[in-house]
Amino acid sequence: MYIDWNGNVMPCVFVPYSAGNIREIYARGDTLEDIYDAPYFRAIREWQWEHALGKEKPEECGNWLVPCSLRDHYDMGRNLIEEYRPEPEDEAAAHGLSVTYRSLHPSGASVADGYFFSFDDDGHLQPTF
């Protein structure tokens, strides 16, 4: 969990979509546990558990080291954002929700065109931040 300087509570620093604001949560008498149990955060944890963390053997699962629902599995992260509608942290995060998709890999993996990735001079996919 990551809380930015404005009080927005996000899954982590790399997932800039907030399910609530800590100041507002405390003002209404709730606690950090209440935001931790928000449907968006709960859905991320459930997906991570099903994808990898709940498996006993590495060969039974995805990758234990990359269970990020947005950076490592963009389609899953985007689906969770569309379903639970967390608030974008800033204009760049909002823009990330408005761009179109295109397939970038023969495996069928897709990412937001021009937002998280770009191609270098040799045609290799490179992250852009």
Side-chain angles (χ1 to χ4, degrees):
M1 187 174 293
Y2 168 68
I3 302 173
D4 74 5
W5 50 86
N6 294 314
N8 298 314
V9 183
M10 293 164 274
C12 79
V13 68
F14 297 112
V15 182
Y17 301 96
S18 173
N21 184 286
I22 195 68
R23 293 179 186 134
E24 295 169 9
I25 292 163
Y26 282 119
R28 67 175 182 251
D30 291 334
T31 68
L32 193 55
E33 284 186 38
D34 295 301
I35 191 67
Y36 182 76
D37 198 39
Y40 177 56
F41 289 127
R42 192 175 332 114
I44 291 171
R45 289 192 309 276
E46 288 171 0
W47 173 80
Q48 288 174 327
W49 187 257
E50 292 169 9
H51 173 73
L53 301 177
K55 311 293 183 181
E56 291 185 22
K57 300 175 186 173
E59 61 270 11
E60 296 176 347
C61 67
N63 187 338
W64 279 343
L65 301 176
V66 289
C68 176
S69 62
L70 190 60
R71 294 187 56 94
D72 302 314
H73 304 276
Y74 185 81
D75 289 339
M76 174 54 63
R78 181 64 183 250
N79 289 340
L80 291 173
I81 290 167
E82 289 177 5
E83 182 174 349
Y84 295 98
R85 300 286 183 203
E87 193 67 31
E89 177 186 27
D90 54 27
E91 288 181 31
H95 174 72
L97 299 177
S98 67
V99 295
T100 59
Y101 295 94
R102 70 178 176 140
S103 182
L104 295 175
H105 191 273
S107 70
S110 63
V111 297
D113 183 24
Y115 181 65
F116 287 111
F117 298 92
S118 63
F119 291 99
D120 65 17
D121 293 336
D122 296 321
H124 297 106
L125 193 62
Q126 297 295 319
T128 56
F129 302 101

mmCIF file of all heavy atoms in Angstrom, residues 37-54 76 80 83-84:
data_model
loop_
_atom_site.group_PDB
_atom_site.id
_atom_site.type_symbol
_atom_site.label_atom_id
_atom_site.label_comp_id
_atom_site.label_asym_id
_atom_site.label_seq_id
_atom_site.Cartn_x
_atom_site.Cartn_y
_atom_site.Cartn_z
ATOM 1 N N ASP A 37 -9.406 -2.959 3.093
ATOM 2 C CA ASP A 37 -10.456 -3.911 2.753
ATOM 3 C C ASP A 37 -11.397 -3.388 1.663
ATOM 4 O O ASP A 37 -12.404 -4.017 1.370
ATOM 5 C CB ASP A 37 -11.255 -4.287 4.010
ATOM 6 C CG ASP A 37 -12.046 -5.562 3.820
ATOM 7 O OD1 ASP A 37 -11.514 -6.497 3.187
ATOM 8 O OD2 ASP A 37 -13.199 -5.613 4.273
ATOM 9 N N ALA A 38 -11.077 -2.257 1.053
ATOM 10 C CA ALA A 38 -11.897 -1.730 -0.044
ATOM 11 C C ALA A 38 -11.950 -2.759 -1.169
ATOM 12 O O ALA A 38 -10.991 -3.507 -1.386
ATOM 13 C CB ALA A 38 -11.311 -0.419 -0.557
ATOM 14 N N PRO A 39 -13.063 -2.841 -1.895
ATOM 15 C CA PRO A 39 -13.201 -3.841 -2.955
ATOM 16 C C PRO A 39 -12.049 -3.858 -3.968
ATOM 17 O O PRO A 39 -11.613 -4.933 -4.384
ATOM 18 C CB PRO A 39 -14.521 -3.469 -3.620
ATOM 19 C CG PRO A 39 -15.308 -2.817 -2.524
ATOM 20 C CD PRO A 39 -14.294 -2.064 -1.720
ATOM 21 N N TYR A 40 -11.534 -2.692 -4.349
ATOM 22 C CA TYR A 40 -10.434 -2.643 -5.317
ATOM 23 C C TYR A 40 -9.179 -3.322 -4.762
ATOM 24 O O TYR A 40 -8.565 -4.156 -5.425
ATOM 25 C CB TYR A 40 -10.144 -1.184 -5.682
ATOM 26 C CG TYR A 40 -8.987 -0.977 -6.617
ATOM 27 C CD1 TYR A 40 -8.921 -1.605 -7.855
ATOM 28 C CD2 TYR A 40 -7.947 -0.125 -6.259
ATOM 29 C CE1 TYR A 40 -7.853 -1.398 -8.709
ATOM 30 C CE2 TYR A 40 -6.876 0.090 -7.107
ATOM 31 C CZ TYR A 40 -6.831 -0.551 -8.339
ATOM 32 O OH TYR A 40 -5.766 -0.342 -9.178
ATOM 33 N N PHE A 41 -8.807 -2.980 -3.532
ATOM 34 C CA PHE A 41 -7.624 -3.597 -2.921
ATOM 35 C C PHE A 41 -7.846 -5.089 -2.689
ATOM 36 O O PHE A 41 -6.942 -5.897 -2.890
ATOM 37 C CB PHE A 41 -7.266 -2.909 -1.611
ATOM 38 C CG PHE A 41 -6.707 -1.530 -1.787
ATOM 39 C CD1 PHE A 41 -7.257 -0.458 -1.106
ATOM 40 C CD2 PHE A 41 -5.638 -1.290 -2.620
ATOM 41 C CE1 PHE A 41 -6.743 0.817 -1.258
ATOM 42 C CE2 PHE A 41 -5.112 -0.019 -2.777
ATOM 43 C CZ PHE A 41 -5.673 1.037 -2.096
ATOM 44 N N ARG A 42 -9.033 -5.455 -2.265
ATOM 45 C CA ARG A 42 -9.338 -6.863 -2.036
ATOM 46 C C ARG A 42 -9.237 -7.660 -3.333
ATOM 47 O O ARG A 42 -8.677 -8.763 -3.365
ATOM 48 C CB ARG A 42 -10.737 -7.009 -1.430
ATOM 49 C CG ARG A 42 -11.004 -8.399 -0.909
ATOM 50 C CD ARG A 42 -12.344 -8.561 -0.179
ATOM 51 N NE ARG A 42 -12.840 -7.362 0.447
ATOM 52 C CZ ARG A 42 -13.961 -6.723 0.062
ATOM 53 N NH1 ARG A 42 -14.680 -7.170 -0.947
ATOM 54 N NH2 ARG A 42 -14.356 -5.641 0.704
ATOM 55 N N ALA A 43 -9.743 -7.092 -4.434
ATOM 56 C CA ALA A 43 -9.688 -7.781 -5.732
ATOM 57 C C ALA A 43 -8.239 -7.985 -6.188
ATOM 58 O O ALA A 43 -7.906 -9.034 -6.747
ATOM 59 C CB ALA A 43 -10.471 -6.995 -6.777
ATOM 60 N N ILE A 44 -7.383 -7.004 -5.958
ATOM 61 C CA ILE A 44 -5.970 -7.156 -6.318
ATOM 62 C C ILE A 44 -5.344 -8.292 -5.519
ATOM 63 O O ILE A 44 -4.649 -9.155 -6.067
ATOM 64 C CB ILE A 44 -5.196 -5.844 -6.096
ATOM 65 C CG1 ILE A 44 -5.641 -4.788 -7.108
ATOM 66 C CG2 ILE A 44 -3.680 -6.086 -6.198
ATOM 67 C CD1 ILE A 44 -5.099 -3.403 -6.834
ATOM 68 N N ARG A 45 -5.585 -8.315 -4.212
ATOM 69 C CA ARG A 45 -5.016 -9.379 -3.376
ATOM 70 C C ARG A 45 -5.536 -10.749 -3.792
ATOM 71 O O ARG A 45 -4.779 -11.720 -3.837
ATOM 72 C CB ARG A 45 -5.313 -9.115 -1.903
ATOM 73 C CG ARG A 45 -4.544 -7.952 -1.320
ATOM 74 C CD ARG A 45 -4.632 -7.907 0.193
ATOM 75 N NE ARG A 45 -5.979 -7.978 0.730
ATOM 76 C CZ ARG A 45 -6.800 -6.932 0.876
ATOM 77 N NH1 ARG A 45 -6.411 -5.722 0.496
ATOM 78 N NH2 ARG A 45 -7.996 -7.084 1.398
ATOM 79 N N GLU A 46 -6.826 -10.839 -4.101
ATOM 80 C CA GLU A 46 -7.389 -12.121 -4.528
ATOM 81 C C GLU A 46 -6.756 -12.590 -5.834
ATOM 82 O O GLU A 46 -6.426 -13.762 -5.987
ATOM 83 C CB GLU A 46 -8.901 -12.018 -4.671
ATOM 84 C CG GLU A 46 -9.611 -11.914 -3.346
ATOM 85 C CD GLU A 46 -11.092 -11.583 -3.474
ATOM 86 O OE1 GLU A 46 -11.597 -11.429 -4.611
ATOM 87 O OE2 GLU A 46 -11.748 -11.472 -2.419
ATOM 88 N N TRP A 47 -6.583 -11.659 -6.784
ATOM 89 C CA TRP A 47 -5.945 -12.031 -8.044
ATOM 90 C C TRP A 47 -4.508 -12.484 -7.799
ATOM 91 O O TRP A 47 -4.073 -13.502 -8.347
ATOM 92 C CB TRP A 47 -5.961 -10.864 -9.040
ATOM 93 C CG TRP A 47 -5.168 -11.215 -10.249
ATOM 94 C CD1 TRP A 47 -5.580 -11.980 -11.307
ATOM 95 C CD2 TRP A 47 -3.800 -10.894 -10.486
ATOM 96 N NE1 TRP A 47 -4.549 -12.136 -12.194
ATOM 97 C CE2 TRP A 47 -3.446 -11.477 -11.717
ATOM 98 C CE3 TRP A 47 -2.848 -10.165 -9.791
ATOM 99 C CZ2 TRP A 47 -2.178 -11.351 -12.257
ATOM 100 C CZ3 TRP A 47 -1.582 -10.037 -10.329
ATOM 101 C CH2 TRP A 47 -1.267 -10.622 -11.545
ATOM 102 N N GLN A 48 -3.738 -11.762 -6.986
ATOM 103 C CA GLN A 48 -2.353 -12.150 -6.702
ATOM 104 C C GLN A 48 -2.288 -13.540 -6.084
ATOM 105 O O GLN A 48 -1.421 -14.338 -6.416
ATOM 106 C CB GLN A 48 -1.687 -11.130 -5.779
ATOM 107 C CG GLN A 48 -1.386 -9.825 -6.445
ATOM 108 C CD GLN A 48 -0.855 -8.777 -5.477
ATOM 109 O OE1 GLN A 48 -1.234 -8.753 -4.305
ATOM 110 N NE2 GLN A 48 0.009 -7.914 -5.970
ATOM 111 N N TRP A 49 -3.215 -13.831 -5.195
ATOM 112 C CA TRP A 49 -3.237 -15.140 -4.543
ATOM 113 C C TRP A 49 -3.531 -16.239 -5.556
ATOM 114 O O TRP A 49 -2.858 -17.265 -5.597
ATOM 115 C CB TRP A 49 -4.268 -15.146 -3.422
ATOM 116 C CG TRP A 49 -4.219 -16.402 -2.608
ATOM 117 C CD1 TRP A 49 -5.073 -17.455 -2.677
ATOM 118 C CD2 TRP A 49 -3.256 -16.739 -1.616
ATOM 119 N NE1 TRP A 49 -4.709 -18.437 -1.794
ATOM 120 C CE2 TRP A 49 -3.584 -18.009 -1.129
ATOM 121 C CE3 TRP A 49 -2.144 -16.086 -1.100
ATOM 122 C CZ2 TRP A 49 -2.846 -18.650 -0.147
ATOM 123 C CZ3 TRP A 49 -1.415 -16.722 -0.118
ATOM 124 C CH2 TRP A 49 -1.760 -17.995 0.346
ATOM 125 N N GLU A 50 -4.533 -16.032 -6.407
ATOM 126 C CA GLU A 50 -4.892 -17.023 -7.416
ATOM 127 C C GLU A 50 -3.809 -17.169 -8.479
ATOM 128 O O GLU A 50 -3.549 -18.266 -8.963
ATOM 129 C CB GLU A 50 -6.216 -16.647 -8.075
ATOM 130 C CG GLU A 50 -7.391 -16.765 -7.143
ATOM 131 C CD GLU A 50 -8.648 -16.131 -7.714
ATOM 132 O OE1 GLU A 50 -8.656 -15.739 -8.899
ATOM 133 O OE2 GLU A 50 -9.630 -16.034 -6.960
ATOM 134 N N HIS A 51 -3.182 -16.069 -8.855
ATOM 135 C CA HIS A 51 -2.167 -16.087 -9.910
ATOM 136 C C HIS A 51 -0.892 -16.786 -9.467
ATOM 137 O O HIS A 51 -0.318 -17.556 -10.224
ATOM 138 C CB HIS A 51 -1.837 -14.662 -10.360
ATOM 139 C CG HIS A 51 -0.695 -14.596 -11.319
ATOM 140 N ND1 HIS A 51 -0.812 -14.997 -12.627
ATOM 141 C CD2 HIS A 51 0.588 -14.203 -11.154
ATOM 142 C CE1 HIS A 51 0.355 -14.845 -13.235
ATOM 143 N NE2 HIS A 51 1.214 -14.361 -12.350
ATOM 144 N N ALA A 52 -0.435 -16.505 -8.262
ATOM 145 C CA ALA A 52 0.874 -17.016 -7.880
ATOM 146 C C ALA A 52 1.049 -17.276 -6.396
ATOM 147 O O ALA A 52 1.510 -18.330 -6.005
ATOM 148 C CB ALA A 52 1.968 -16.050 -8.336
ATOM 149 N N LEU A 53 0.724 -16.324 -5.572
ATOM 150 C CA LEU A 53 1.110 -16.389 -4.169
ATOM 151 C C LEU A 53 0.472 -17.538 -3.399
ATOM 152 O O LEU A 53 1.029 -18.002 -2.410
ATOM 153 C CB LEU A 53 0.808 -15.060 -3.488
ATOM 154 C CG LEU A 53 1.522 -13.846 -4.103
ATOM 155 C CD1 LEU A 53 1.090 -12.571 -3.412
ATOM 156 C CD2 LEU A 53 3.020 -14.022 -4.082
ATOM 157 N N GLY A 54 -0.673 -18.016 -3.852
ATOM 158 C CA GLY A 54 -1.345 -19.110 -3.166
ATOM 159 C C GLY A 54 -0.914 -20.486 -3.630
ATOM 160 O O GLY A 54 -1.387 -21.495 -3.119
ATOM 161 N N MET A 76 -4.995 -7.463 -16.801
ATOM 162 C CA MET A 76 -5.663 -7.729 -15.528
ATOM 163 C C MET A 76 -5.822 -6.438 -14.733
ATOM 164 O O MET A 76 -6.898 -6.146 -14.208
ATOM 165 C CB MET A 76 -4.868 -8.752 -14.713
ATOM 166 C CG MET A 76 -5.421 -8.976 -13.313
ATOM 167 S SD MET A 76 -7.174 -9.412 -13.234
ATOM 168 C CE MET A 76 -7.151 -10.954 -14.098
ATOM 169 N N LEU A 80 -9.363 -4.592 -13.560
ATOM 170 C CA LEU A 80 -9.704 -4.239 -12.171
ATOM 171 C C LEU A 80 -10.016 -2.751 -12.050
ATOM 172 O O LEU A 80 -10.953 -2.363 -11.341
ATOM 173 C CB LEU A 80 -8.561 -4.621 -11.231
ATOM 174 C CG LEU A 80 -8.320 -6.114 -11.036
ATOM 175 C CD1 LEU A 80 -7.061 -6.346 -10.218
ATOM 176 C CD2 LEU A 80 -9.517 -6.791 -10.400
ATOM 177 N N GLU A 83 -13.450 -2.156 -13.492
ATOM 178 C CA GLU A 83 -14.521 -2.699 -12.643
ATOM 179 C C GLU A 83 -14.732 -1.888 -11.369
ATOM 180 O O GLU A 83 -15.864 -1.601 -10.978
ATOM 181 C CB GLU A 83 -14.220 -4.149 -12.278
ATOM 182 C CG GLU A 83 -15.304 -4.787 -11.441
ATOM 183 C CD GLU A 83 -15.083 -6.255 -11.183
ATOM 184 O OE1 GLU A 83 -14.192 -6.877 -11.809
ATOM 185 O OE2 GLU A 83 -15.828 -6.803 -10.337
ATOM 186 N N TYR A 84 -13.649 -1.492 -10.705
ATOM 187 C CA TYR A 84 -13.761 -0.846 -9.391
ATOM 188 C C TYR A 84 -13.638 0.670 -9.426
ATOM 189 O O TYR A 84 -13.912 1.331 -8.436
ATOM 190 C CB TYR A 84 -12.744 -1.457 -8.422
ATOM 191 C CG TYR A 84 -13.060 -2.904 -8.157
ATOM 192 C CD1 TYR A 84 -12.390 -3.910 -8.840
ATOM 193 C CD2 TYR A 84 -14.073 -3.265 -7.282
ATOM 194 C CE1 TYR A 84 -12.707 -5.246 -8.633
ATOM 195 C CE2 TYR A 84 -14.405 -4.585 -7.065
ATOM 196 C CZ TYR A 84 -13.715 -5.575 -7.748
ATOM 197 O OH TYR A 84 -14.031 -6.890 -7.537
#
